[in-house]
Amino acid sequence: MSNQNQTDLDSLVSIVIPYYQHKQYIKSCIESIVNQTYANIELIVVDDCSPDGSGEYVEKILSSEECTERFSQKINFTRFEKNRGAHAAINYGIKKARGKFIAIVNSDDLFHSSRIEIMINSMRKEQKDFAFSSFICINEKGEDITQCDVQARDFAQFQEESINFPTLGFASLTGNIGISTGNFVFTKELYLLTKGFKDLKYCHDWDFLLQCLYYTEPLFVSEKLYYYRFHQSNTFKSLQEEGVHIEDTAKVLKSYFNSVRCRKTINPLAPSSFNYPNYFELFLSLNNYEDYYKKSVYI
């Protein structure tokens, strides 16, 4: 491989879109990537067997002159023959990725036009392998509802309160402070150290964040660079109503606690009894996590 080709790959950002029947939003999502100020982008879209046939619509968008000129030969579109779940679509897309950096965006969400440029520059400056940013909640029309919708306001407050913890790692143990998988940017090298995104209906994003936490402390970029869309068919809302999150939460916490039990972590700031012999026990007690920690040895 020539030095020029290697340089191109070192700066390449692979953006993965796991797509599932979001026909009314996907064009805006792709346009937000086309309009990125960061130049070297590879676009990977995985259609998880959308039953409405909208995968053909996505393929048409990707073959447009606007997309082919923007991404040159850096477009990869795949259709699954059967529905395999968001986690599988994400993992497949990442395995196809050639870039040093991976960014994910939900097919109903949007990127700020400077998102990739700011995130990559911040990660390089701080020498971080995992990052997420502040966000704005939008409705079906793309309007900012962060302060006028109760749940959206709760999401924003949850992330803002993460600074009250000793580290972002401890804040991450209370939930996905990145809010969404689509707000994650990480190196492919880090991804390969993990087990990838697991088959969890509700918490595959949170689980992945905690897997990465074992290896690296996350970076929080304070600019509002991700637009998280609220609408009636949100997976988050439907699964929360079904109570699926209770079962998934137990799996995620037990898995993390098992990974850090009685051993040194690669990330010296990762929450564990080894890294924080006094505070860690207090944290478990304050958050009612003692049972998860005790039971983690059996999973």
Side-chain angles (χ1 to χ4, degrees):
M1 181 181 293
S2 69
N3 290 335
Q4 182 60 49
N5 287 339
Q6 185 59 55
T7 299
D8 288 344
L9 290 179
D10 286 344
S11 66
L12 180 64
V13 177
S14 299
I15 299 180
V16 177
I17 305 179
Y19 176 76
Y20 185 71
Q21 57 180 0
H22 279 151
K23 186 175 182 179
Q24 66 271 48
Y25 304 121
I26 186 63
K27 189 169 188 247
S28 295
C29 176
I30 293 174
E31 286 176 348
S32 76
I33 300 172
V34 169
N35 295 327
Q36 287 298 300
T37 56
Y38 190 90
N40 196 9
I41 291 175
E42 172 183 56
L43 181 57
I44 301 169
V45 184
V46 182
D47 175 25
D48 193 17
C49 193
S50 298
D52 58 357
S54 58
E56 295 179 0
Y57 175 68
V58 177
E59 193 168 21
K60 184 177 180 180
I61 295 173
L62 296 176
S63 62
S64 67
E65 184 177 350
E66 181 182 37
C67 281
T68 54
E69 287 185 357
R70 172 63 172 90
F71 303 111
S72 184
Q73 301 300 314
K74 301 171 183 175
I75 297 178
N76 189 305
F77 177 68
T78 300
R79 280 187 192 169
F80 285 170
E81 294 183 358
K82 63 179 181 179
N83 183 261
R84 294 164 57 183
H87 72 287
I90 294 171
N91 287 330
Y92 182 89
I94 293 174
K95 288 176 182 177
K96 288 286 186 181
R98 298 176 299 134
K100 178 177 181 178
F101 295 93
I102 308 292
I104 304 171
V105 57
N106 301 326
S107 55
D108 50 345
D109 295 341
L110 305 171
F111 278 175
H112 182 284
S113 60
S114 299
R115 174 173 173 79
I116 298 300
E117 180 179 5
I118 293 174
M119 296 297 286
I120 299 304
N121 287 344
S122 298
M123 291 173 72
R124 288 189 184 279
K125 179 181 178 181
E126 301 296 330
Q127 297 184 320
K128 294 289 188 177
D129 289 315
F130 187 102
F132 59 91
S133 74
S134 186
F135 64 97
I136 291 174
C137 290
I138 59 176
N139 61 15
E140 293 94 334
K141 298 178 182 179
E143 300 166 334
D144 185 351
I145 59 168
T146 311
Q147 298 304 320
C148 60
D149 180 274
V150 174
Q151 190 175 46
R153 191 164 57 246
D154 288 346
F155 272 30
Q157 184 177 356
F158 172 65
Q159 189 183 72
E160 289 169 4
E161 290 178 348
S162 65
I163 62 174
N164 296 326
F165 289 84
T167 67
L168 283 179
F170 276 105
S172 298
L173 275 179
T174 66
N176 178 13
I177 57 176
I179 302 300
S180 169
T181 315
N183 197 14
F184 293 168
V185 182
F186 48 89
T187 61
K188 188 165 185 179
E189 182 179 7
L190 174 63
Y191 172 84
L192 293 174
L193 293 173
T194 73
K195 297 178 181 179
F197 288 84
K198 298 178 185 175
D199 186 7
L200 297 167
K201 293 182 179 179
Y202 179 79
C203 297
H204 63 263
D205 52 352
W206 184 25
D207 176 80
F208 182 73
L209 168 59
L210 295 186
Q211 286 189 67
C212 293
L213 186 59
Y214 178 88
Y215 298 99
T216 185
E217 187 68 8
L219 171 68
F220 173 55
V221 178
S222 60
E223 286 94 335
K224 300 181 186 299
L225 303 175
Y226 192 78
Y227 300 111
Y228 182 73
R229 195 184 301 272
F230 275 61
H231 53 86
Q232 290 303 314
S233 57
N234 264 117
T235 302
F236 174 83
K237 290 185 176 181
S238 62
L239 291 176
Q240 189 176 47
E241 291 170 1
E242 295 171 10
V244 177
H245 65 292
I246 297 175
E247 181 180 349
D248 274 9
T249 294
K251 291 179 180 178
V252 170
L253 289 174
K254 290 176 184 178
S255 178
Y256 175 78
F257 290 143
N258 186 60
S259 73
V260 302
R261 180 179 293 276
C262 301
R263 60 174 169 170
K264 190 174 182 179
T265 57
I266 304 301
N267 170 19
L269 297 180
S272 71
S273 58
F274 185 93
N275 294 331
Y276 301 88
N278 297 316
Y279 180 75
F280 185 71
E281 299 297 330
L282 175 62
F283 176 85
L284 294 179
S285 176
L286 291 174
N287 290 276
N288 297 314
Y289 281 175
E290 294 102 329
D291 284 346
Y292 295 123
Y293 187 67
K294 291 175 183 176
K295 294 176 181 178
S296 65
V297 72
Y298 300 115
I299 67 171

